[in-house]
Amino acid sequence: MEEFIEKEALNENEKKLGYALIEIFNNFDKIFEIGEGNKFNKNLILLSLREMTSLSTKEIRISLKKYKKIYKGIIGGFLV
């Protein structure tokens, strides 16, 4: 993902979000609640992204669109 951030024409918000996503992926074990089925806590992720980037929820949502392309490419690679 770091390579994507460096090579792709991204605005400042998209870059901030990209580096925050890398940090979250590297520390994913802290995002999962241990206990009732290891439920994924999306509110905690959104809060973490807002704190790490100083972006609003709307700005995060808009910036995520670039990263959805990466996700679709990765999933497509697994499904082929």
Side-chain angles (χ1 to χ4, degrees), residues 17 46 49 55-68:
L17 183 63
L46 184 56
L49 288 173
L55 299 176
S56 69
T57 302
K58 182 178 180 177
E59 290 169 321
I60 290 171
R61 192 183 82 248
I62 291 169
S63 297
L64 271 174
K65 289 179 182 180
K66 289 273 185 171
Y67 296 96
K68 287 181 183 179

Side-chain angles (χ1 to χ4, degrees), residues 20-34 38-41 44-45 48:
L21 288 171
I22 290 170
E23 184 69 27
I24 287 175
F25 292 148
N26 288 335
N27 297 302
F28 70 93
D29 54 331
K30 296 175 186 170
I31 296 169
F32 287 90
E33 291 180 351
I34 297 174
N38 293 335
K39 291 182 90 173
F40 193 70
N41 192 339
L44 178 60
I45 294 172
S48 297

